């Protein structure tokens, strides 16, 4: 049984609280948020300790951190130094220096860190991973992840807290790609466009190289927060066909080049975000640590070029 404390009761916790409650291997013993109203609105067992100060959390063995990305390192560092395991919302941290320090801290204190890369647990991604011939590599990968984050010409408050299109959404899309094609990865180039009012990047175009058994795959990722509709698409280009991993609709589509037809190979039921977090929490209970996988992704994304 994992005795869990939750720091940050905002959007992520709202998504996960019912899923956590359904997982019989996780027991919430403490919760923390700086907002007292938000804290007191959460009806839990009367034995659950509530506080506005995360440094008062002491009854748990694992801390789930759902706060804005720029606060992750400071909070994680405190708990690692107090011998608590960590489950941390993506991105883990926002700079390469923080990433390396986090790695040093976990090794020094022998702490497990699990990164909440929920998109890699999309049912369509897992299905294709189980069905495909992993020895056959695509010639190219293209991913488009778009969000309707503008309201009346302004970025909404939720998107501002995420820290930008590149740091938030590129790690999401790349985690799905990397779970299919795991190897060495490096950033080739990136181009960002910023919102003039908030100075946050709203359009991020990047290209990564993934190397598996001395074979190279180019992955091009476009994140656009100024779209009218949400899109979650990963396209895998093979010699005679393309596979469209449609995350929004949780389906796998095969696009045949020879007769120009589309064939739905798989379609999942349920709500995508709930499916993601449910499968991710099951994986967390089994492994409790995915830092090596997450470290490679974050190092590629956070490298300055």
């Amino acid at each position: 049984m994992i005795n869990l404390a939750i720091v940050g009761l905002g959007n992520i916790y709202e998504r996960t609280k019912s899923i956590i409650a359904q997982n019989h291997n996780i027991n919430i013993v403490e919760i923390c948020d700086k907002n007292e109203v938000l804290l007191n609105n959460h009806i839990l067992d009367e034995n659950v300790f509530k506080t506005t100060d995360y440094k008062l959390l002491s009854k748990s063995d694992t801390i789930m951190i759902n706060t804005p990305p720029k606060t992750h390192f400071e909070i994680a560092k405190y708990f690692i130094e107090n011998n608590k395991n960590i489950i941390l919302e993506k991105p883990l941290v926002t700079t390469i220096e923080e990433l390396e320090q986090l790695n040093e801290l976990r090794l020094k204190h022998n702490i497990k860190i699990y990164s909440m890369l929920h998109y890699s647990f999309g049912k369509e991604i897992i299905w294709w991973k189980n069905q495909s011939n992993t020895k056959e590599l695509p010639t190219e990968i293209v991913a488009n992840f778009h969000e309707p984050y503008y309201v009346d010409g302004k970025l909404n408050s939720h998107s501002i807290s995420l820290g930008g299109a590149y740091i938030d959404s590129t790690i999401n899309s790349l985690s799905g790609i990397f779970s299919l094609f795991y190897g060495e990865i490096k950033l080739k180039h990136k181009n960002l466009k910023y919102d003039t009012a908030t100075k946050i990047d709203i359009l991020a175009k990047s290209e990564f190289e993934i190397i598996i058994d001395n074979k190279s795959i180019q992955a091009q990722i476009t994140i656009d927060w100024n779209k009218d509709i949400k899109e979650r698409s990963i396209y895998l280009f093979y010699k005679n066909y393309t596979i469209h991993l449609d995350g929004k609709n949780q389906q796998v589509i095969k696009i045949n080049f020879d007769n120009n037809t589309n064939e739905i190979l798989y379609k999942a039921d349920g709500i995508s975000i709930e499916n993601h977090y449910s499968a991710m929490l099951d994986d967390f209970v089994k492994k409790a640590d995915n830092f090596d996988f997450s470290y490679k992704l974050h190092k590629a994304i956070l490298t300055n070029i």
Side-chain angles (χ1 to χ4, degrees), residues 1-2 17 74 83 86 118 125 156 165 187 201 217 229 297:
M1 176 68 69
I2 296 171
K17 63 181 181 180
E74 177 186 349
N83 299 310
I86 304 293
H118 69 86
I125 291 176
N156 63 35
L187 175 66
D201 57 287
I217 312 170
I229 58 173
L297 286 181

Side-chain angles (χ1 to χ4, degrees), residues 18-208:
S18 62
I19 301 169
I20 295 173
Q22 294 168 20
N23 194 308
H24 300 299
N25 295 299
I26 300 175
N27 179 36
I28 298 176
V29 296
E30 303 172 295
I31 59 174
C32 174
D33 198 284
K34 291 194 296 184
N35 186 325
E36 288 190 27
V37 174
L38 192 62
L39 187 69
N40 292 323
N41 282 342
H42 285 77
I43 302 173
L44 294 166
D45 186 286
E46 63 180 10
N47 293 321
V48 173
F49 176 68
K50 297 181 180 181
T51 180
T52 57
D53 183 357
Y54 66 79
K55 293 183 179 180
L56 296 180
L57 301 174
S58 61
K59 295 190 286 185
S60 51
D61 51 61
T62 302
I63 313 293
M64 176 183 281
I65 301 172
N66 297 324
T67 56
K70 287 187 177 181
T71 67
H72 285 183
F73 178 74
E74 177 186 349
I75 298 172
K77 180 176 183 289
Y78 172 81
F79 285 114
I80 291 171
E81 290 177 339
N82 284 273
N83 299 310
K84 303 289 187 181
N85 293 322
I86 304 293
I87 174 169
L88 188 56
E89 178 57 33
K90 53 82 183 169
L92 286 174
V93 290
T94 58
T95 69
I96 193 72
E97 292 79 15
E98 289 177 342
L99 180 67
E100 297 300 350
Q101 288 181 59
L102 194 67
N103 187 30
E104 291 174 7
L105 283 166
R106 72 164 185 120
L107 294 172
K108 178 181 178 181
H109 295 275
N110 193 29
I111 292 299
K112 296 177 180 179
I113 298 178
Y114 190 94
S115 181
M116 296 169 67
L117 299 170
H118 69 86
Y119 197 81
S120 61
F121 293 93
K123 285 197 169 185
E124 72 286 349
I125 291 176
I126 293 173
W127 185 88
W128 180 248
K129 184 177 182 178
N130 292 335
Q131 295 293 319
S132 64
N133 178 2
T134 55
K135 293 182 179 180
E136 182 184 8
L137 301 179
T139 57
E140 184 183 10
I141 301 172
V142 173
N144 298 317
F145 277 50
H146 304 323
E147 296 282 0
Y149 278 159
Y150 269 83
V151 179
D152 297 327
K154 297 180 180 179
L155 275 175
N156 63 35
S157 58
H158 166 65
S159 64
I160 293 173
S161 70
L162 297 175
Y166 180 73
I167 193 66
D168 176 73
S169 300
T170 301
I171 191 74
N172 222 13
S173 58
L174 197 58
S175 71
I177 295 169
F178 206 47
S179 68
L180 294 170
F181 308 105
Y182 182 72
E184 299 304 315
I185 183 170
K186 60 181 178 180
L187 175 66
K188 301 291 288 184
H189 68 78
K190 66 179 178 182
N191 184 28
L192 309 181
K193 179 181 178 182
Y194 295 86
D195 174 64
T196 54
T198 63
K199 309 304 180 184
I200 289 175
D201 57 287
I202 56 171
L203 176 65
K205 295 184 177 182
S206 54
E207 182 175 347
F208 296 84

